Amino acid sequence: MSVYLDFNSSAPIDERVLEYMIGVYRNSYGNADSRTHDFGDSARRIVEDARGRVSSILGAGKDEVFFTSGATESNNIVLQGLKSYALESGKKHIITSAIEHKSVLETAKVMQLDGFEVDFVKPGLNGQVSAEEIISLVRDDTLLVSIMHVNNETGVIQPVKEIGQSLADLNTFFHIDATQSFGKLVDELRDTKYDMLSMSAHKIGGPQGVGALVLRKKQYKRPPVKGIMFGGQQEHGIRPGTIPVPLVAGLGKACQIAEEEYHDNQEKCEKIKCRILDILDESGIDYEINGDQTCSVPGTLNVCFNGVSSEALMLASRQYCGVSNGSACNSSSYSPSFVLTAMGIPIEKIENSIRISWGSSSDPNEVADAFENLVQVAKKLAF
Ligand code: PMP
């Protein structure tokens, strides 16, 4: 059976989360905003319990957490939701990086058409953007700095702590896309200053289609982000529409589990990475790792097998494992990874690079066997 090694695209749901969600689907079908009966109250309690779990893992306030359909929506709300404040204040400059998720990049590009000025900062060859460079670009009219915590393709950790520290006393909002770090780099996020944060439940063993936007308060006031859809007043109008109670419940349960287990989970992932690196070293194959391993998460590896087309490798090793060569959002048509391109990696090496990602639920022996097989296939394909 093929081993799943694409956790950064979507991690399998945790059985405990699924069990909990099934109970909610069966028993708590009320609308959390119905105030006229116990069914609504029961659904509301489940939603507020989940809100507490999200806020607890971040060390944020419960009233700072807003449920959305996931990080794409959260990122869109952050950028587009600041538009009216930008017009009032005359602050129309945004700083982001060239390796953000498309939900930030594409939204920022559309905002350029509306007169916003956007700096897309490139990372170094190590996959990390420079905090100093970002801070040096901040001006009086800088509305927002939006930087991801961990890159989804390379696993490289970005210097959000330094950026947050430098921006803390400035009149510029700081948004972190924490989709790949939430529930994993728990201590780091608790220790970082930011105004807004995005996450998706399905990266941490929760269900697909739900996530959160966190709006941190400063002097009792949250950032002036407005909802970008119109309808009901759910989630204070930040995200109108019926709250999907079972999905939100699943998100809360995944947070609870992550909060209890993140230390062990990181260790398990680290051990798997060591085994994969050992296999690579012992195989004698010509390879390089994309992204600086001294500042990377333990569950991701972006490997270039010199002389081996990633498309051919993925096809030929499909029976052993499911890996990728870029983020799922860009995979309908092949084009070289924009993340690796922005890092300055030559095109022929990008075409030879694959991303493997795993999680705490991965079986280390299964992963090692699958990876051994993948390397053997790569050896045969090498020219
Ligand atoms: N940001 C990052 C860094 C991601 O990795 C992803 C998912 N690949 C997203 C945002 C979007 O998440 P979703 O598709 O769940 O909205």
Side-chain angles (χ1 to χ4, degrees):
M1 218 185 61
S2 185
V3 175
Y4 187 62
L5 288 175
D6 201 12
F7 277 57
N8 285 12
S9 288
S10 200
I13 194 157
D14 187 301
E15 278 297 325
R16 295 164 289 182
V17 172
L18 188 57
E19 279 302 310
Y20 182 55
M21 285 176 64
I22 290 170
V24 175
Y25 270 119
R26 286 220 168 94
N27 305 314
S28 305
Y29 36 79
N31 186 317
D33 284 278
S34 295
R35 291 174 299 103
T36 51
H37 44 68
D38 290 348
F39 304 92
D41 289 348
S42 149
R44 175 53 63 182
R45 273 195 298 277
I46 290 166
V47 168
E48 293 316 314
D49 176 65
R51 204 184 305 280
R53 305 282 180 196
V54 179
S55 66
S56 164
I57 198 167
L58 285 170
K62 256 187 86 172
D63 58 351
E64 296 175 322
V65 175
F66 300 85
F67 294 116
T68 66
S69 65
T72 294
E73 188 176 40
S74 299
N75 289 343
N76 270 271
I77 296 173
V78 167
L79 276 92
Q80 298 188 56
L82 279 173
K83 267 189 188 170
S84 45
Y85 172 78
L87 295 179
E88 279 160 31
S89 63
K91 289 162 82 91
K92 292 183 79 177
H93 176 230
I94 294 172
I95 303 169
T96 187
S97 85
I99 56 168
E100 297 301 308
H101 187 260
K102 291 281 182 181
S103 53
V104 170
L105 291 177
E106 295 301 316
T107 310
K109 282 181 195 160
V110 171
M111 288 173 73
Q112 280 180 313
L113 303 176
D114 279 346
F116 282 78
E117 205 185 317
V118 186
D119 283 315
F120 297 96
V121 176
K122 283 193 174 170
L125 192 55
N126 67 354
Q128 215 181 32
V129 294
S130 149
E132 293 83 57
E133 184 180 354
I134 285 168
I135 298 306
S136 75
L137 292 169
V138 176
R139 327 186 298 218
D140 286 347
D141 67 341
T142 306
L143 171 71
L144 173 73
V145 175
S146 179
I147 299 291
M148 62 187 0
H149 194 182
V150 170
N151 184 269
N152 40 315
E153 288 193 34
T154 60
V156 173
I157 302 169
Q158 306 301 322
V160 291
K161 188 168 175 196
E162 292 84 331
I163 298 169
Q165 188 65 45
S166 302
L167 291 178
D169 300 323
L170 301 183
N171 208 2
T172 293
F173 296 111
F174 182 37
H175 166 239
I176 301 178
D177 177 354
T179 311
Q180 297 290 348
S181 65
F182 183 96
K184 296 171 183 166
L185 302 183
V186 173
D187 299 324
E188 291 82 345
L189 276 176
R190 282 180 177 158
D191 214 22
T192 297
K193 293 184 171 150
Y194 58 87
D195 299 293
M196 295 165 266
L197 178 144
S198 304
M199 63 79 61
S200 270
H202 67 109
K203 310 289 184 182
I204 58 162
Q208 296 174 343
V210 67
L213 169 62
V214 180
L215 299 175
R216 302 301 305 266
K217 287 184 173 168
K218 256 189 198 146
Q219 283 145 9
Y220 307 107
K221 266 176 68 181
R222 65 170 193 248
V225 171
K226 292 200 171 133
I228 57 174
M229 293 195 296
F230 301 95
Q233 271 305 301
Q234 292 96 342
E235 299 302 274
H236 294 268
I238 297 288
R239 206 286 186 170
T242 300
I243 297 173
V245 181
L247 295 182
V248 163
L251 163 57
K253 188 72 179 170
C255 288
Q256 182 195 347
I257 294 169
E259 188 165 4
E260 285 161 11
E261 300 181 355
Y262 69 96
H263 281 298
D264 288 351
N265 291 346
Q266 290 293 87
E267 242 173 69
K268 282 185 201 160
C269 289
E270 192 63 65
K271 282 191 181 142
I272 292 177
K273 188 181 254 189
C274 288
R275 279 184 77 172
I276 291 175
L277 289 171
D278 284 347
I279 292 169
L280 279 170
D281 278 342
E282 285 159 17
S283 70
I285 198 163
D286 181 13
Y287 79 94
E288 284 154 55
I289 303 287
N290 299 317
D292 186 346
Q293 289 307 296
T294 62
C295 53
S296 290
V297 288
T300 308
L301 211 50
N302 197 305
V303 192
C304 167
F305 292 104
N306 286 311
V308 182
S309 147
S310 62
E311 292 284 314
L313 179 58
M314 289 189 303
L315 260 178
S317 60
R318 225 180 154 103
Q319 57 184 310
Y320 303 119
C321 50
V323 302
S324 80
N325 63 347
S327 75
C329 340
N330 308 309
S331 63
S332 56
S333 63
Y334 178 74
S335 55
S337 151
F338 70 89
V339 171
L340 301 185
T341 305
M343 285 163 65
I345 296 177
I347 178 84
E348 57 284 5
K349 292 205 182 277
I350 298 176
E351 284 170 352
N352 293 172
S353 296
I354 58 160
R355 172 188 76 181
I356 48 175
S357 50
W358 55 92
S360 57
S361 61
S362 301
D363 179 313
N365 294 327
E366 276 181 16
V367 174
D369 285 350
F371 194 71
E372 285 261 16
N373 283 323
L374 179 129
V375 171
Q376 291 312 318
V377 173
K379 273 184 163 176
K380 285 191 193 129
L381 290 173
F383 62 86

